[in-house]
Amino acid sequence: MTDAEFEAFYERHWKYVYRLCFTYMKSSAEAEDCAEDVFVKVLTGGFEFNDEVHERKWLFVAAINLCKDRLKGWKRKAIVPIDDEPELAAPEKEDRSDVLEAVLDLPDKYKDVVWLYYYEGYQTDEIAEILGSPPSTIRNRMRDARKLLKDKLGGEYE
């Protein structure tokens, strides 16, 4: 990938990768670090992408895996929780709705499916391919996630 191609790739996907990382890290500094590391992987990995859809799928999986690895790490335990630093918020998303908050609080296996379906617009078969799970598993996770969200949000969103 030439410098110009990488720059176009970066411009095309930076906000997407950053927002995705922020949903996991809940800190703008950590989300930025993770997003940058994803792009370093692309720059140094010599990856070939078929099209923009393939790019986004790869970036989604790479970003989620990187964030999950970071959350498991020992450094994470020393980080101040986001609730203690209210000035840290995702750009353009400072006023998050209670629905989005509920989605972000879901366990990862549900959050990934809901995020891909409702926020990224993928269908269940596409999500199954991205996450490497059978379509029936994805549909079951969607059903379970909806139930969790309904229980948490109550009747006002039925």
Side-chain angles (χ1 to χ4, degrees):
M1 189 179 288
T2 67
D3 288 346
E5 290 172 334
F6 179 75
E7 189 174 328
F9 178 87
Y10 181 86
E11 291 297 323
R12 196 167 49 247
H13 297 296
W14 169 254
K15 286 182 182 179
Y16 168 73
V17 173
Y18 174 82
R19 277 193 316 263
L20 183 59
C21 291
F22 188 85
T23 64
Y24 277 84
M25 306 311 288
K26 295 189 171 55
S27 159
S28 59
E30 286 186 72
E32 190 171 313
D33 287 345
C34 288
E36 286 174 359
D37 288 348
V38 169
F39 284 102
V40 168
K41 277 186 175 183
V42 172
L43 186 61
T44 59
F47 297 103
E48 296 286 329
F49 300 106
N50 301 331
D51 54 23
E52 193 169 338
V53 172
H54 184 220
E55 291 172 353
R56 286 176 68 89
K57 286 180 181 180
W58 188 92
L59 288 167
F60 179 85
V61 172
I64 284 180
N65 288 340
L66 184 76
C67 290
K68 286 179 180 179
D69 288 347
R70 292 267 173 95
L71 289 170
K72 290 178 193 172
W74 64 269
K75 291 180 184 178
R76 181 70 181 167
K77 292 173 179 47
I79 304 286
V80 177
I82 190 77
D83 297 337
D84 294 345
E85 295 189 25
E87 71 278 2
L88 296 178
E92 303 171 17
K93 297 283 184 186
E94 291 181 29
D95 185 34
R96 291 190 264 169
S97 70
D98 51 345
V99 175
L100 181 57
E101 287 292 333
V103 169
L104 295 178
D105 288 340
L106 288 171
D108 289 345
K109 68 180 184 178
Y110 300 127
K111 177 173 39 178
D112 295 347
V113 172
V114 170
W115 184 268
L116 284 169
Y117 187 82
Y118 288 106
Y119 294 91
E120 296 299 326
Y122 289 105
Q123 298 301 309
T124 54
D125 291 341
E126 294 171 314
I127 297 169
E129 182 183 328
I130 292 169
L131 298 179
S133 299
S136 60
T137 300
I138 300 304
R139 287 189 291 276
N140 288 337
R141 287 181 184 170
M142 283 294 288
R143 181 198 62 223
D144 295 345
R146 286 179 184 131
K147 182 176 179 348
L148 289 171
L149 290 169
K150 183 177 180 181
D151 291 346
K152 184 170 186 159
L153 295 170
E156 72 182 88
Y157 291 100
E158 289 187 40

